[in-house]
Amino acid sequence: MPIPSNGDSLETVFDIFTVLSLSAPLPPTTSATVFASAPVAFATFCTPAAGCALPCGLFAAAGGGTGSHVARWDGSAWSALGAGVNGNATAMCVYNNELVVGGAFTQAGGSAASNIARWNGTSWQPLGGGLNNQVNALALYNGQLIAGGNFTTADGATVNYIASWDGSAWHDLGGGFDNVVNALTVYRG
């Protein structure tokens, strides 16, 4: 089965884990694609010169080296993204040319980050005051980052399991839900 790319079928997307287990090199891409499957999320965040695959999950090591729940595959070896995050990373996507990682953690790159942080290629930064509990899913919609999970507040404001980030602040998304959000996708949007 071929390596997933934008527009591939669901079956192709889930087959990426088979490809990784066979240690097949991943092709260069300039697209931003997100794959998710518990307990690991997988995203491409790359250019042909910069490398390619980024999984996140419960792992602390990748390819015999450190991984700290987020790692990068450059086509031949795994490497860490700085100090990574200090807890389970469950979701990731690319927003404003930065990798955003969500999960259940309190630090990213050794600095405070409440369950969500962004990697700019050299360092980790929090997204505002973050979210008060685990992030399970991330998606992009109308230029905003949407986070779903077990959280009920973002930057201290009530959001009820789903929130949007506009690049500088978190916002409520229509009153949210009455329980946990486990997955997000954009359909015809």
Side-chain angles (χ1 to χ4, degrees), residues 98-143:
E98 295 180 318
L99 176 69
V100 177
V101 175
F105 53 84
T106 58
Q107 292 187 348
S111 297
S114 290
N115 303 304
I116 192 161
R118 64 181 187 246
W119 170 257
N120 65 14
T122 57
S123 65
W124 289 96
Q125 301 294 320
L127 269 72
L131 307 162
N132 74 324
N133 208 333
Q134 180 169 317
V135 174
N136 295 331
L138 295 169
L140 302 178
Y141 182 71
N142 286 340

Side-chain angles (χ1 to χ4, degrees), residues 14 17 35-42 56-58 88-91 134 136 182-183:
F14 285 113
F17 298 104
F35 309 99
S37 177
V40 174
F42 184 94
C56 70
L58 290 167
N88 189 16
T90 55
Q134 180 169 317
N136 295 331
N182 289 320

Side-chain angles (χ1 to χ4, degrees), residues 139-142 184-189:
L140 302 178
Y141 182 71
N142 286 340
L184 294 168
T185 194
V186 175
Y187 179 69
R188 295 185 187 175

Side-chain angles (χ1 to χ4, degrees), residues 154-179:
D155 276 338
T158 300
V159 294
N160 294 322
Y161 310 103
I162 192 164
S164 66
W165 172 259
D166 65 9
S168 60
W170 287 104
H171 303 280
D172 170 64
L173 209 62
F177 296 96
D178 65 349
N179 212 328

